[in-house]
Amino acid sequence: MSANGKPRFAMYWAAGCGGCEIAVLNIHEKILDVDANFEVVFWPVAVDTKYKDVEAMPDGSITLTLFNGGIRNSENEELAHLLRRKSQILVAFGACACEGGIPGLANLSTPQAVFEAAYDSVSTDNPDSIRPQSVWNVPEGELHIPEFYPVLKTLDQVVPVDYFMPGCPPESHQIAAVVDLVIQALQGKAELPPPGSVIGAGSSTVCDECPRARNVKLIRQYRRIQHLSRVDPTLCLLEQGIPCNGPATRDGCGALCPKVGAQCIGCYGPAQGTLDYGARLLSALASVVDGKEPEEIEQALAGIPDPAGQVYRFSLANSLLGASKEAWEQEEEIHEAAHHD
Amino acid sequence: MTAHNGHSEQERIGVYVCHCGSNIAGTIDVEDVARWAADKLNRRGVVIARDYKFMCSSLGQELIEKDIRELGLTRVVVAACSPHLHEQTFRVACRRAGLNPYLCELVSIREQASWVHTDKKAATEKAKAILSGGVERVIHHQPLEPLHVPIHPATLVVGGGIAGIQAALEIADAGFHVYLVEREPSIGGHMAQFDKTFPTMDCAACILTPRMVSVGTHPNITLLTWSEVVDVQGYVGNFTVTVNKKARYVKEELCTGCGICQEKCPKKVLDETFEAGLGYRKAVYTPFPQAVPKFPVIDRPNCTFFQKGTCRACEKLCPTGAIDFNQQDERLTLQVGNIILATGFDILDARRIAQYGYGRLANVFTSLEFERLSNAAGPTNGQIVLRDGVTQPKTVGIIHCAGSRDRNFNNYCSAICCMQSLKFAHLVRERTGATVYNFYIDIRTTAKAYDEFYQRVLDEGAILIRGRVAEVTDAARLPGEDGKLIIQVEDTLAGKQRRIPVDMVVLSVALEPRHDAKEVAKQFGISCSSDGWIIEKHPKLDPVATMTEGVFVAGCAQGPKDIPTSVAQGAASSARVLARIQQKEIALEPVRASVDESKCSGCRICNGLCPFNAILFHEDRMVTEINPALCQGCGTCVAACPAGAISGTVFSNEQVLAQIEGLLLQPLGALEEPVPV
């Protein structure tokens, strides 16, 4: 508790787009409840605090920390350890912290390939092929910037996490509900779920919340939604051949995308108890292909031109494989080097 | 999913490593594996690890039972052969000792290690990994009870050849109902086309037709000819079979089989099936006079009325008014408990063996054509004549193994060709006195009285030449070859090339699987070998069962065989079925999938996938349910469920992942560290 008796709140933005930060602000007047009930001690987007301020806090003095973004570099990792130490409740907040998210898709490539795409692509004006260096000497002395890791990790692959709140970003009404729950719990009026739980989401899948009619599925051809001239407004999107991730994705969003005619892309992550989201989804998408001949099946699946991007868009870092072999090998080299130091 | 789960502390696991004589112990240091398990896996819950010469022997089983009783084992892992062979043995041993049989895991270190490796050290290490996987897996096993379902007493026999006839009669005579489905207009199969049967030279019709009549009149047999199975659902004891009874255009209840329609029908049609293209039938026909049932069928594509709208001769002249041009195909739904497949064989299309000239050289005949030529009821009334229908051959060449034992066609031996070719030689000698040459690779006359028949044919003057025929040609080169078929062959006993001019060549063509054998197998949920023959459950010990419970196989559908063996298999399959029926119910493996309704969102992805139709969708609650009596535990839906809402007993994620971790414990060095609590 802080000097004014209020529980302390922190929020941190690691490797992510920042949408989670906006989503918190998007809870509208509820944000006033946050302010009324918590003392915000660390929230780089909203409050001017320094890392050293956090380091100075007693361990376990922050009541609730919402950590968004994956662990992409040494700074993310350092803050994950620091905030874990300082926090009573650490929440992996949003798809990137929970599952790796979109940045985790880079685990299919090596850092060299990532840098090449970022610093040497057609749209980049970088005639000298300058690349970020973690150490750089200038007349004033040695400069350090965070080191880029070959494998992006989820928060709980780096530190123990109390709760997981999925979504890209988590839906505002779910955030508000969680904030309410924590406040109630702090006042002794409610009980927090067991540690390790997923909060702010359901335990079934998006189909549970989707109003579209569905039948037995027999898919002759998968097609990207933009290639269809007309999408039936009431029929299951998957049945129309659109690779909708809803059947494998945890509910809680209210099936927002399918309701407005866009396929679910899976930001809420795997359903309760599912070990590997992408493997489950791919297996399901393949199961409902209506074809006996290998050519027919290949033809049907050709409509999913980027299977890894389709089924692991948000969850590659948290999948059984996690990253490409090359990325893992480089990751191991770094760890071995650190071990020898 | 951590390897160091707290489970193992509570379980008391016994490990039993089998030598299998030298089958395993020859390649794997089984004593080392057992010692290693006792030493390294004790922290994983292993309290005893033993090796034994033959774990499956009664002494080996007693060892396990004794340990269960005395050491209070709660789990058993046997490292031996494939579960396919002895899983049941060890499960039953566990049950005798009071342990639920499903708490026993059999891991295969024979098929998966000793038999497939030569490096003893590596194979031993692999055996340890496999064993460790089994230990980690068995911790997660649950005690299960089998499901008991009643067995429907009726049986479906598919195929009305001699094998199917035998099976149907055995079961019907035992007092149980049989549906015999045959796609041709009559039962009888290939045997009905033959004149004589080797080696006794019994008249085929004389021994077959009484059986056919028995089938036709048996109160316990529903005979469905001109019919085909179109759908099979369900499982052992409870199959639902849909049969398409093709329209005969003849009312069976009115037809007396008098034959006037066949006599009066103006349309002659080449009979490619029964007469092998040598004779004609009418557009309304029974394939042969003794056909069972006696009712003819109208061959719609060849019937003048159906094609041109006029004629109706049969209708006008039928004394009982049995012709009905408006008849439609009929779908029948049958409930049966067991199925016997006796779907027979096709013969190889002799035109494929281009060098033998069939189809190009008029006087090259197939074995089936020769059967019809020599048949007293055949197109020539048993006269063995050339294609012109009148000329008797003076010399005949009979080529064995045409398309068999030949990597260009079929690697297998068709089993019957030696005896069939010798029978042909005998018939030619008997009927025409012509000179007969038999060209063979090896003579295989292994069954009872077969070799005696061979000696008899030799005594009758048939000339046997050992050598594979290179070519049959009509291009004469030497004096005496003009107008003849010349057989070019290397006589491997004389050690020289020969050219033998003959008037007639008979090809003993290979027996091949039915052209649609693969589709039929799929329909009944069984598999075919790469050759296309139906695979039996065990090639030696279970020759008439298949891997699908309740589906049996008899006769040539399983592989080429002669009449006595087909009959024996027909009888054997019926014995298996009768044993089942007598049990009245069957215990089904409790390996089942089930749905966690709280996780099921009703996406319906699994709904169309179940091969056993066990999946039911509740529209009102929008959840899927699996019928445990229909579920066979195949796991298709488990793999397909994107929400992970379906899990399968014995193959749960937890069990499979634990097994994978177990496989990796040793290489990851996890067994070297103390287990954190």
Side-chain angles (χ1 to χ4, degrees):
Chain A
M1 295 273 167
S2 62
N4 57 17
K6 280 192 199 170
R8 294 167 157 221
F9 173 87
M11 184 155 186
Y12 181 69
W13 174 358
C17 66
C20 289
E21 307 271 346
I22 308 299
V24 171
L25 296 174
N26 200 29
I27 63 177
H28 302 292
E29 69 281 1
K30 277 268 181 215
I31 196 74
L32 298 174
D33 289 352
V34 175
D35 184 54
N37 286 281
F38 292 95
E39 182 190 351
V40 178
V41 292
F42 178 63
W43 188 355
V45 164
V47 187
D48 184 16
T49 38
K50 304 295 181 211
Y51 292 172
K52 63 176 169 43
D53 300 333
V54 182
E55 280 158 15
M57 294 175 195
D59 285 358
S61 62
I62 306 175
T63 317
L64 174 67
T65 297
L66 303 183
F67 191 107
N68 70 87
I71 310 304
R72 172 82 278 180
N73 60 32
S74 53
E75 182 189 22
N76 302 154
E77 189 181 26
E78 190 185 329
L79 264 289
H81 285 291
L82 178 64
L83 287 168
R84 172 67 281 181
R85 218 166 48 241
K86 302 298 172 190
S87 310
Q88 291 167 31
I89 301 171
L90 177 65
V91 179
F93 189 81
C96 297
C98 291
E99 301 282 315
I102 302 267
L105 270 177
N107 284 1
L108 291 171
S109 316
T110 58
Q112 294 74 24
V114 171
F115 285 160
E116 193 167 309
Y119 298 104
D120 263 338
S121 60
V122 187
S123 62
T124 312
D125 184 18
N126 184 11
D128 301 328
S129 284
I130 293 168
R131 295 290 155 85
Q133 306 294 320
S134 51
V135 184
W136 193 252
N137 285 306
V138 289
E140 293 79 5
E142 202 173 61
L143 285 180
H144 291 258
I145 66 165
E147 190 186 351
F148 188 91
Y149 289 154
V151 173
L152 180 138
K153 292 184 179 159
T154 67
L155 182 59
D156 86 318
Q157 285 168 352
V158 176
V159 294
V161 167
D162 297 304
Y163 299 113
F164 299 86
M165 199 164 170
C168 181
E171 274 306 301
S172 293
H173 73 278
Q174 296 279 19
I175 301 173
V178 167
V179 166
D180 257 351
L181 176 70
V182 174
I183 292 169
Q184 301 272 330
L186 288 171
Q187 294 169 354
K189 291 180 196 160
E191 229 171 274
L192 290 171
S197 298
V198 171
I199 56 172
S203 59
S204 175
T205 70
V206 172
C207 301
D208 230 12
E209 301 181 318
C210 178
R212 287 172 178 269
R214 59 201 83 144
N215 307 291
V216 173
K217 290 161 181 57
L218 292 169
I219 292 160
R220 307 279 320 171
Q221 180 65 58
Y222 281 113
R223 276 196 191 84
R224 303 177 81 183
I225 197 163
Q226 59 267 40
H227 296 156
L228 286 177
S229 52
R230 181 180 172 274
V231 176
D232 186 309
T234 57
L235 182 66
C236 169
L237 293 169
L238 186 57
E239 270 163 55
Q240 300 181 56
I242 301 160
C244 176
N245 291 5
T249 306
R250 190 185 280 270
D251 58 336
C253 61
L256 285 178
C257 300
K259 270 182 188 162
V260 295
Q263 78 273 33
C264 169
I265 56 175
C267 73
Y268 261 65
Q272 186 79 37
T274 300
L275 193 63
D276 189 305
Y277 174 88
R280 279 253 161 245
L281 179 58
L282 194 59
S283 171
L285 292 178
S287 294
V288 288
V289 168
D290 179 23
K292 288 190 175 67
E293 301 307 317
E295 304 79 53
E296 285 179 312
I297 296 166
E298 267 174 40
Q299 170 66 30
L301 292 174
I304 304 177
D306 172 20
Q310 172 77 36
V311 304
Y312 286 121
R313 186 187 294 225
F314 295 95
S315 62
L316 183 70
N318 201 34
S319 68
L320 281 174
L321 294 175
S324 72
K325 192 167 172 238
E326 290 78 10
W328 275 124
E329 281 166 357
Q330 293 198 23
E331 181 78 12
E332 271 169 27
E333 276 170 30
I334 288 178
H335 279 281
E336 272 168 31
H339 209 68
H340 288 300
D341 286 347
Chain B
M1 57 168 274
T2 158
H4 305 294
N5 50 52
H7 257 298
S8 49
E9 271 74 44
Q10 292 136 32
E11 302 303 344
R12 295 176 63 76
I13 306 170
V15 165
Y16 301 88
V17 187
C18 182
H19 294 233
C20 196
S22 62
N23 272 307
I24 295 172
T27 315
I28 289 169
D29 185 346
V30 285
E31 284 149 24
D32 180 42
V33 173
R35 268 197 309 274
W36 173 86
D39 177 31
K40 297 288 184 189
L41 299 180
N42 64 340
R43 286 195 298 263
R44 316 297 308 158
V46 172
V47 294
I48 183 83
R50 299 181 192 274
D51 63 282
Y52 191 71
K53 207 90 188 150
F54 289 103
M55 284 312 312
C56 62
S57 68
S58 51
L59 290 174
Q61 294 179 52
E62 279 165 23
L63 206 63
I64 299 174
E65 290 171 50
K66 191 161 164 278
D67 283 351
I68 293 172
R69 290 199 186 93
E70 292 178 1
L71 301 173
L73 299 182
T74 60
R75 296 286 189 277
V76 167
V77 178
V78 183
C81 51
S82 153
H84 188 47
L85 288 176
H86 274 302
E87 187 169 67
Q88 221 39 39
T89 310
F90 296 113
R91 279 182 176 174
V92 170
C94 287
R95 187 165 60 206
R96 277 198 300 269
L99 187 68
N100 184 287
Y102 296 91
L103 301 177
C104 168
E105 173 75 1
L106 178 55
V107 295
S108 167
I109 58 167
R110 191 178 75 169
E111 286 80 351
Q112 294 182 2
S114 71
W115 276 0
V116 290
H117 298 296
T118 48
D119 181 338
K120 288 190 176 184
K121 195 165 176 298
T124 303
E125 289 309 305
K126 182 172 172 184
K128 288 175 186 174
I130 294 172
L131 174 60
S132 164
V135 167
E136 291 304 311
R137 178 188 225 283
V138 83
I139 293 167
H140 298 278
H141 278 209
Q142 305 284 330
L144 300 169
E145 292 303 328
L147 248 81
H148 294 273
V149 294
I151 291 196
H152 196 287
T155 304
L156 170 72
V157 177
V158 185
I162 187 59
I165 287 173
Q166 184 71 25
L169 285 174
E170 298 271 2
I171 296 169
D173 285 346
F176 298 102
H177 201 85
V178 176
Y179 297 97
L180 178 57
V181 175
E182 165 61 50
R183 70 172 151 205
E184 294 299 326
S186 170
I187 57 170
H190 281 103
M191 188 175 170
Q193 293 172 276
F194 305 161
D195 185 42
K196 295 282 192 275
T197 56
F198 58 75
T200 50
M201 303 310 272
D202 286 298
C203 154
C206 308
I207 56 176
L208 175 65
T209 51
R211 300 285 175 106
M212 292 166 57
V213 171
S214 297
V215 168
T217 56
H218 207 296
N220 285 335
I221 296 179
T222 302
L223 180 57
L224 300 165
T225 59
W226 204 235
S227 300
E228 287 189 76
V229 173
V230 290
D231 187 45
V232 182
Q233 301 288 343
Y235 54 97
V236 55
N238 296 276
F239 291 107
T240 303
V241 180
T242 311
V243 173
N244 184 39
K245 194 164 181 278
K246 291 175 277 188
R248 274 190 131 86
Y249 307 108
V250 171
K251 290 180 186 160
E252 294 178 16
E253 63 281 11
L254 296 179
C255 176
T256 60
C258 68
I260 288 175
C261 54
Q262 302 193 52
E263 205 178 297
K264 301 296 180 189
C265 175
K267 180 70 188 258
K268 274 176 95 177
V269 182
L270 186 67
D271 184 352
E272 307 244 26
T273 308
F274 191 78
E275 294 293 4
L278 291 184
Y280 292 86
R281 58 166 170 79
K282 296 295 184 62
V284 53
Y285 71 105
T286 52
F288 50 103
Q290 306 96 320
V292 171
K294 62 194 173 190
F295 320 120
V297 298
I298 292 178
D299 170 12
R300 188 172 175 140
N302 283 306
C303 168
T304 311
F305 169 71
F306 276 119
Q307 299 313 314
K308 296 184 181 151
T310 57
C311 181
R312 291 182 175 256
C314 51
E315 190 185 36
K316 283 172 208 143
L317 296 164
C318 175
T320 59
I323 301 291
D324 176 8
F325 290 115
N326 295 320
Q327 214 173 51
Q328 299 291 322
D329 287 6
E330 207 183 326
R331 289 281 165 124
L332 307 174
T333 305
L334 313 177
Q335 295 295 330
V336 296
N338 291 281
I339 295 171
I340 296 172
L341 294 178
T343 48
F345 62 94
D346 282 337
I347 63 163
L348 174 135
D349 179 356
R351 279 169 296 200
R352 283 166 57 201
I353 317 174
Q355 67 271 29
Y356 290 173
Y358 180 78
R360 183 160 46 82
L361 305 172
N363 291 315
V364 179
F365 291 81
T366 65
S367 38
L368 208 51
E369 285 176 328
F370 188 87
E371 292 285 1
R372 293 312 298 158
L373 275 185
S374 61
N375 193 308
T380 59
N381 300 319
Q383 297 298 309
I384 297 170
V385 289
L386 298 181
R387 200 70 75 171
D388 63 8
V390 289
T391 316
Q392 273 206 352
K394 296 203 170 52
T395 45
V396 178
I398 301 167
I399 301 178
H400 298 215
C401 300
S404 307
R405 306 180 69 198
D406 181 340
R407 68 180 65 170
N408 297 309
F409 302 99
N410 297 299
N411 286 325
Y412 55 79
C413 165
S414 287
I416 52 104
C417 321
C418 280
M419 285 301 288
Q420 167 185 269
S421 305
L422 292 169
K423 176 181 81 176
F424 293 167
H426 166 83
L427 290 173
V428 172
R429 296 291 299 153
E430 183 186 76
R431 307 256 171 101
T432 68
T435 305
V436 180
Y437 296 93
N438 278 52
F439 301 90
Y440 67 100
I441 311 175
D442 298 292
I443 289 288
R444 294 178 170 178
T445 50
T446 53
K448 189 176 179 182
Y450 280 16
D451 208 65
E452 292 88 326
F453 182 74
Y454 170 39
Q455 299 302 332
R456 173 183 166 189
V457 173
L458 284 177
D459 290 345
E460 286 169 356
I463 301 163
L464 274 91
I465 294 176
R466 197 185 83 177
R468 179 184 284 287
V469 170
E471 187 188 22
V472 176
T473 176
D474 57 355
R477 281 213 317 252
L478 301 173
E481 291 184 353
D482 277 330
K484 299 274 188 181
L485 294 170
I486 302 103
I487 294 173
Q488 173 80 45
V489 63
E490 182 190 359
D491 183 334
T492 58
L493 291 180
K496 61 176 184 184
Q497 286 288 335
R498 296 180 69 172
R499 287 171 66 82
I500 297 171
V502 297
D503 299 319
M504 173 190 249
V505 170
V506 182
L507 306 177
S508 259
V509 288
L511 270 50
E512 290 194 333
R514 284 283 186 200
H515 61 279
D516 56 353
K518 287 213 162 72
E519 289 91 89
V520 169
K522 197 169 177 193
Q523 191 172 52
F524 289 90
I526 56 175
S527 23
C528 292
S529 65
S530 55
D531 292 325
W533 304 106
I534 290 172
I535 299 177
E536 62 281 12
K537 191 164 186 179
H538 192 284
K540 291 142 206 149
L541 301 180
D542 216 349
V544 296
T546 68
M547 291 302 282
T548 299
E549 288 281 319
V551 179
F552 299 87
V553 60
C556 287
Q558 180 256 3
K561 53 183 62 68
D562 56 16
I563 293 169
T565 316
S566 294
V567 171
Q569 283 208 338
S573 59
S574 67
R576 296 293 306 276
V577 168
L578 287 170
R580 276 276 164 73
I581 297 172
Q582 295 289 4
Q583 287 168 359
K584 295 195 171 57
E585 65 169 26
I586 187 166
L588 297 179
E589 277 276 282
V591 181
R592 294 287 175 274
S594 59
V595 179
D596 177 348
E597 286 197 9
S598 72
K599 287 186 190 168
C600 174
S601 62
C603 71
R604 307 197 65 176
I605 280 180
C606 62
N607 286 191
L609 304 179
C610 181
F612 308 101
N613 275 6
I615 297 180
L616 184 71
F617 184 68
H618 294 290
E619 200 80 54
D620 50 341
R621 290 184 289 134
M622 291 298 273
V623 288
T624 287
E625 190 190 334
I626 293 168
N627 179 339
L630 291 173
C631 174
Q632 298 286 294
C634 72
T636 305
C637 60
V638 180
C641 178
I646 312 180
S647 60
T649 43
V650 189
F651 289 96
S652 69
N653 271 351
E654 207 183 20
Q655 287 163 334
V656 174
L657 290 167
Q659 185 164 19
I660 294 171
E661 286 202 3
L663 286 164
L664 298 173
L665 282 180
Q666 169 93 336
L668 292 176
L671 296 171
E672 303 307 323
E673 305 155 19
V675 178
V677 180

